[in-house]
Amino acid sequence: QVQLVDTGGGLVQAGGSLRLSCAASGRTFGNYAMGWFRQAPGKGRDFVATISRSGEITYYADSVKGRFTISRDGAKNTVYLQMNSLKPEDTAVYYCALRYGSAQSMRDMRVDFWGQGTQVTVSS
């Protein structure tokens, strides 16, 4: 079993920045990808970004490319999402995710464990 604790959400004005963090504990060995999804009110959960175990492979949703950066600290089993140039349409609950397997599989919406979610609100 894996536990994911995601933190760092908050209220920010448009154009501002936030950094989300997600610490993984438990059965964190082997090849696994980590990443982020988000869910806006009344909408489904959407893929945002993912990163491979090595950190060498990353994927981003088109809507966040060039603004968001995903990274990970392998020693701490922690993944980060640096969000810059935030827009009101980025407002959502952001969920950390872990997938036993490739980053590509997470990009294809395959997830084994979820964090509890952290609210990001961007005001105009």
Side-chain angles (χ1 to χ4, degrees):
Q1 194 73 353
V2 171
Q3 295 77 43
L4 302 174
V5 178
D6 36 31
T7 58
L11 173 63
V12 64
Q13 289 188 332
S17 299
L18 282 173
R19 189 174 86 148
L20 306 183
S21 300
C22 173
S25 61
R27 199 166 173 257
T28 53
F29 55 85
N31 184 38
Y32 62 92
M34 295 184 74
W36 295 91
F37 291 71
R38 67 187 181 185
Q39 187 166 15
K43 296 188 177 182
R45 195 169 295 188
D46 294 327
F47 167 76
V48 174
T50 183
I51 187 167
S52 64
R53 174 69 185 262
S54 67
E56 295 178 352
I57 299 173
T58 58
Y59 295 103
Y60 295 92
D62 288 343
S63 59
V64 306
K65 280 180 182 176
R67 300 188 299 121
F68 291 10
T69 301
I70 190 169
S71 61
R72 69 189 291 171
D73 183 332
K76 297 180 180 179
N77 287 330
T78 299
V79 65
Y80 306 96
L81 186 68
Q82 179 66 44
M83 305 185 294
N84 299 329
S85 302
L86 282 162
K87 305 175 182 180
E89 51 263 44
D90 294 318
T91 295
V93 177
Y94 284 69
Y95 294 91
C96 179
L98 185 146
R99 165 70 178 171
Y100 287 123
S102 67
Q104 182 176 351
S105 67
M106 179 174 284
R107 183 193 65 182
D108 294 338
M109 304 296 287
R110 297 186 182 95
V111 173
D112 293 303
F113 296 98
W114 295 100
Q116 81 281 5
T118 185
Q119 177 70 46
V120 171
T121 303
V122 184
S123 62
S124 57

